[in-house]
Amino acid sequence: GENVEQHPSTLSVQEGDSAVIKCTYSDSASNYFPWYKQELGKRPQLIIDIRSNVGEKKDQRIAVTLNKTAKHFSLHITETQPEDSAVYFCAAKRDNDMRFGAGTRLTVKP
Amino acid sequence: DTGVSQDPRHKITKRGQNVTFRCDPISEHNRLYWYRQTLGQGPEFLTYFQNEAQLEKSRLLSDRFSAERPKGSFSTLEIQRTEQGDSAMYLCASSPPFGVWTDTQYFGPGTRLTVL
């Protein structure tokens, strides 16, 4: 089955800096890659996603890149703000099977 | 709030008791998923419904776990003879019918289960 690895497990940046979180997946048939943000005690919220026929997608300060050959994808957050502090999860989906990474705890220091 | 809802939000039970959780998906979403999330981990897939049919079950889902979606709307997840290892957040998610751009899963707030 699919295996998703996520790095780093914790990330601390200064407000205004960029943050990058990386994930790798094992199943080449996975074709949908969402990123979720989860604040303490709250539900995971989709922040951006990308499909396997696209290499890059951007939404304001957030971007995702996908390298299908290498089977890795990354989340980029620019101009970080304290409210970006949360746990971020990547996932890879094939059919109805979605597997999540273990999460990255991002702390943005003011 | 027209999002996915779950009830109860918190459940504390004693080992050996049975518990049941409910999930109400977004209206018109015919696909429904249950996940379990433990501290410091991502959600782990448990089971998937398309309408009322349970189409997939994870090997993580022991025979003490059963899920239903009798009318293709809300779903219930029951855990029998709870064990301390069942303590976790149980998340429900739903997706619209198959079509273009329908991979997105929308999560509910979860039910936090504590087994004493």
Side-chain angles (χ1 to χ4, degrees):
Chain A
E2 176 67 275
N3 185 42
V4 178
E5 300 281 344
Q6 183 171 347
H7 300 279
S9 56
T10 60
L11 179 60
S12 182
V13 300
Q14 208 67 35
E15 182 177 1
D17 287 351
S18 294
V20 180
I21 303 170
K22 299 182 178 182
C23 287
T24 60
Y25 62 99
S26 59
D27 188 346
S28 56
S30 291
N31 56 9
Y32 174 69
F33 308 90
W35 286 88
Y36 285 85
K37 175 183 180 183
Q38 188 173 30
E39 296 177 76
L40 191 61
K42 297 194 175 180
R43 73 186 74 194
Q45 295 268 19
L46 179 75
I47 55 171
I48 196 166
D49 56 12
I50 193 167
R51 287 169 176 80
S52 57
N53 58 346
V54 176
E56 185 174 355
K57 183 176 177 181
K58 189 173 181 182
D59 183 4
Q60 299 183 333
R61 298 185 297 110
I62 295 173
V64 57
T65 59
L66 171 66
N67 183 327
K68 281 195 301 181
T69 304
K71 288 189 279 189
H72 66 70
F73 57 113
S74 302
L75 177 72
H76 305 252
I77 306 175
T78 58
E79 300 169 25
T80 53
Q81 301 166 2
E83 51 266 37
D84 293 330
S85 295
V87 178
Y88 291 80
F89 293 99
C90 64
K93 183 171 179 282
R94 172 188 178 172
D95 299 324
N96 286 294
D97 185 359
M98 189 150 81
R99 303 294 175 97
F100 287 80
T104 296
R105 180 172 298 280
L106 174 64
T107 303
V108 180
K109 294 182 283 190
Chain B
D1 186 359
T2 56
V4 179
S5 61
Q6 291 185 246
D7 184 70
R9 296 291 307 277
H10 303 273
K11 178 70 177 179
I12 300 174
T13 191
K14 292 182 179 178
R15 187 163 50 100
Q17 297 295 304
N18 299 344
V19 294
T20 300
F21 310 141
R22 176 178 171 129
C23 170
D24 286 87
I26 294 171
S27 179
E28 297 177 357
H29 280 196
N30 69 333
R31 291 182 286 160
L32 187 147
Y33 307 81
W34 283 99
Y35 291 87
R36 178 170 63 193
Q37 185 178 27
T38 53
L39 201 61
Q41 297 297 318
E44 292 177 298
F45 170 77
L46 292 178
T47 191
Y48 160 66
F49 288 87
Q50 183 173 310
N51 300 311
E52 66 277 8
Q54 187 175 20
L55 297 185
E56 288 186 41
K57 287 171 61 173
S58 165
R59 283 171 291 180
L60 294 174
L61 209 65
S62 80
D63 55 6
R64 296 185 298 106
F65 287 68
S66 62
E68 295 183 341
R69 195 182 184 199
K71 297 181 181 179
S73 57
F74 72 91
S75 175
T76 57
L77 178 68
E78 181 183 17
I79 309 175
Q80 296 182 326
R81 306 181 302 280
T82 52
E83 301 173 356
Q84 288 183 326
D86 297 331
S87 295
M89 175 75 85
Y90 290 83
L91 291 164
C92 175
S94 69
S95 292
F98 283 111
V100 180
W101 310 122
T102 58
D103 290 301
T104 303
Q105 295 186 17
Y106 300 87
F107 281 87
T111 295
R112 181 166 295 285
L113 173 66
T114 302
V115 181
L116 301 176

